Amino acid sequence: MSANSFLDALRDEGLSVVEVGDWRTHNRNHKGPWGPVHGVMLHHTVTKGSAATVRLCREGHPGLPGPLCHGVITKDGRVHLVGYGRANHAGKGDDDVLRAVIAEKSLPQDNESNRDGNRYFYGFECENLGDGKDPWPEAQLVAIEKAAAAICRRHGWTARSVIGHKEWQPGKIDPRGFSMNTMRARIAERLK
């Protein structure tokens, strides 16, 4: 899907979208291939404050250059597009999980980090401290649901193509504070 189709899919799902800078061409494609894309990965940011969160996800930090995702979903339910193409969000994960996502089957336990996920997944960073105490406003949860559903709808995928970072890479805990099974059920309902 082109960057413009990505934007259209999000807007068609009823999302409020903020375009940040040259997001259409801001990527890490010079570091490796982008695609074929097989799913959507959700994260939490471990940050507070929308402006700082969006800036970090766009620019990255000294140890990890941006973009750190394709879209940042802030607590107010807006989706800020910060990049398109390869992004530093998934890292290495379990190839058994990737096979399950492609086949749209139940996910196995992630127990190895042997496959480059930045190539295969759209990534949405969701503004949250990730401490299990920071609330997830309903507007944000609806935006997460809509964003994932928009991508699935455009590709003809089911909700089984949506995973959390914690389901991809051993040791990761994000997104923390809501259940991925519950979120997939919400996405599946929206896709009906």
Side-chain angles (χ1 to χ4, degrees):
M1 152 167 62
S2 70
N4 286 338
S5 293
F6 180 69
L7 174 60
D8 289 345
L10 296 172
R11 286 187 171 153
D12 289 349
E13 204 68 37
L15 286 158
S16 175
V17 179
V18 179
E19 298 180 70
V20 182
D22 60 347
W23 70 270
R24 286 175 177 83
T25 57
H26 185 53
N27 57 55
R28 305 283 299 156
N29 289 357
H30 63 286
K31 290 294 184 179
W34 162 242
V37 184
H38 296 296
V40 177
M41 188 174 293
L42 303 176
H43 307 264
H44 65 237
T45 59
V46 193
T47 59
K48 188 171 186 177
S50 297
T53 297
V54 170
R55 187 171 48 256
L56 173 67
C57 290
R58 177 176 163 61
E59 298 172 6
H61 52 80
L64 193 65
L68 304 184
C69 60
H70 300 99
V72 181
I73 303 175
T74 50
K75 287 192 176 278
D76 61 5
R78 292 186 297 161
V79 179
H80 303 256
L81 299 182
V82 297
Y84 196 75
R86 187 179 177 88
N88 276 335
H89 73 98
K92 289 196 179 251
D94 193 320
D95 61 349
D96 294 327
V97 172
L98 179 61
R99 281 192 286 278
V101 168
I102 293 169
E104 296 193 310
K105 296 190 175 191
S106 296
L107 297 176
Q109 180 64 42
D110 56 329
N111 60 9
E112 55 192 350
S113 297
N114 59 357
R115 186 58 69 99
D116 170 21
N118 294 330
R119 174 180 186 172
Y120 297 111
F121 291 96
Y122 295 99
F124 288 98
E125 286 281 356
C126 307
E127 178 190 355
N128 193 278
L129 292 173
D131 59 4
K133 299 174 188 170
D134 191 12
W136 290 92
E138 185 60 20
Q140 187 179 30
L141 292 171
V142 168
I144 294 166
E145 170 193 323
K146 285 182 174 182
I151 304 310
C152 290
R153 192 181 311 283
R154 191 57 63 112
H155 281 283
W157 298 335
T158 72
R160 288 184 181 254
S161 292
V162 182
I163 65 171
H165 198 193
K166 62 187 173 188
E167 296 171 309
W168 168 249
Q169 190 176 59
K172 294 296 182 181
I173 63 166
D174 58 314
R176 185 173 179 200
F178 65 84
S179 156
M180 281 305 304
N181 286 333
T182 299
M183 181 56 69
R184 277 189 286 269
R186 290 175 67 146
I187 295 163
E189 186 63 29
R190 178 166 291 278
L191 288 171
K192 285 183 179 178

